[in-house]
């Protein structure tokens, strides 16, 4: 009986920890901590990779 109660207590603790993790991973919370506590600023624009030489050649041929 004692082991069963211990297992149930650990399962409850595990679920509470999962909830805590979800709260800590929330994008809004991360943004707030980064900007308010760490002084970070959001970029004005974001670059997603560069064009490869093949992509540049295709863009030149198609007028892009």
């Amino acid at each position: 009986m004692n082991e069963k109660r211990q297992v149930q207590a650990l399962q409850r603790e595990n679920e509470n920890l999962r909830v805590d993790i979800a709260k800590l991973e929330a994008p809004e919370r991360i943004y707030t901590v980064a900007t308010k506590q760490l002084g970070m600023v959001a970029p004005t624009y974001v670059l997603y990779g560069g064009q490869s030489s093949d992509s540049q050649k295709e863009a030149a041929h198609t007028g892009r």
Side-chain angles (χ1 to χ4, degrees), residues 50-62 64:
Q51 287 187 335
S52 67
S53 59
D54 291 338
S55 297
Q56 290 173 346
K57 288 176 188 175
E58 179 183 336
H61 290 297
T62 59
R64 291 184 196 169

Side-chain angles (χ1 to χ4, degrees), residues 4-62:
K4 187 176 181 178
R5 273 184 251 155
Q6 187 177 13
V7 166
Q8 289 173 340
L10 289 171
Q11 287 174 335
R12 280 192 303 273
E13 182 182 0
N14 195 15
E15 183 57 33
N16 289 336
L17 290 171
R18 288 179 198 266
V19 170
D20 289 345
I21 289 169
K23 288 178 185 176
L24 292 171
E25 289 180 336
E28 298 85 16
R29 182 198 162 275
I30 293 171
Y31 181 82
T32 300
V33 169
T35 56
K36 304 261 193 256
Q37 294 179 7
L38 301 176
M40 297 175 141
V41 295
T44 55
Y45 63 92
V46 179
L47 297 177
Y48 292 99
Q51 287 187 335
S52 67
S53 59
D54 291 338
S55 297
Q56 290 173 346
K57 288 176 188 175
E58 179 183 336
H61 290 297
T62 59

